[in-house]
Amino acid sequence: MSPQYWLVKTEPEVFSFDDLWRAPKRTTAWDGVRNYQARNYLRDQMRKGDQVLVYHSSCEETGVVGLARVVREAYADPTQFQAGHVHADPASSPADPRWVCVDLQATRKLPRLVSLGSMKTDPGLDGMLLLQKGSRLSVQPVSEAHWQRVLDLGLDNRS
DNA sequence: GCCAACGTTGGC
DNA sequence: GCCAACGTTGGC
């Protein structure tokens, strides 16, 4: 199957793209996802080699800041079993883990932030899930055309 | 900080 | 299964 495209959200004050960039091997466990729809995408559809837009939410400059790729497919999110952890889930058992994470590796910082505002007004991004009112999914699929358009904006290859 | 929109929980 | 109450997300 050809690679799929995704967008993941993170709050930069908690974990930013630069944090990922500076991590060993530029890789981290993308843990803490606690929404069933997002979990299902991680578990059932995200595959090694898939490409990912990293989006900063709840901050001064919201938008896509960098690119990553999936380097390990879904496995049990260890934080769900850590007592006292913000993402602990006492109802989840190791025999039947409720939550999963994948490993993401940063591949490229975008030279320009692709701001939420610019995405909303770009005709090439019409219909993008992120831009729909009330959309809160922290892991969401992105079409190849939208992926390419975001890259064009972020690399300043505007036509 | 405000608040709209969405998701989850739990009583009935 | 319904739905009110509560919690969370996330833009502004």
Side-chain angles (χ1 to χ4, degrees), chain A residues 5 9 14 33 48 50 56 81 94 99 111 113 129 136 146 154:
Chain A
Y5 303 94
K9 298 178 184 174
V14 179
V33 172
K48 195 170 172 180
D50 284 358
H56 279 173
F81 304 124
W99 306 111
L113 167 87
L129 207 53
R136 308 193 316 188
H146 289 163

Side-chain angles (χ1 to χ4, degrees), chain A residues 63-98:
Chain A
V64 175
V65 291
L67 309 180
R69 67 179 167 210
V70 178
V71 293
R72 182 178 174 189
E73 294 181 11
Y75 58 100
D77 178 346
T79 64
Q80 69 196 304
F81 304 124
Q82 293 168 15
H85 193 281
V86 266
H87 292 130
D89 183 353
S92 181
S93 74
D96 184 21
R98 180 177 292 179

Side-chain angles (χ1 to χ4, degrees), chain A residues 34-72:
Chain A
R34 294 293 181 271
N35 168 282
Y36 289 106
Q37 201 178 344
R39 187 276 314 264
N40 292 347
Y41 280 131
L42 289 180
R43 188 189 60 190
D44 304 333
Q45 296 195 37
M46 204 177 264
R47 293 295 168 252
K48 195 170 172 180
D50 284 358
Q51 308 260 42
V52 181
L53 301 171
V54 179
Y55 176 89
H56 279 173
S57 65
S58 298
C59 60
E60 202 122 314
E61 294 203 293
T62 58
V64 175
V65 291
L67 309 180
R69 67 179 167 210
V70 178
V71 293
R72 182 178 174 189

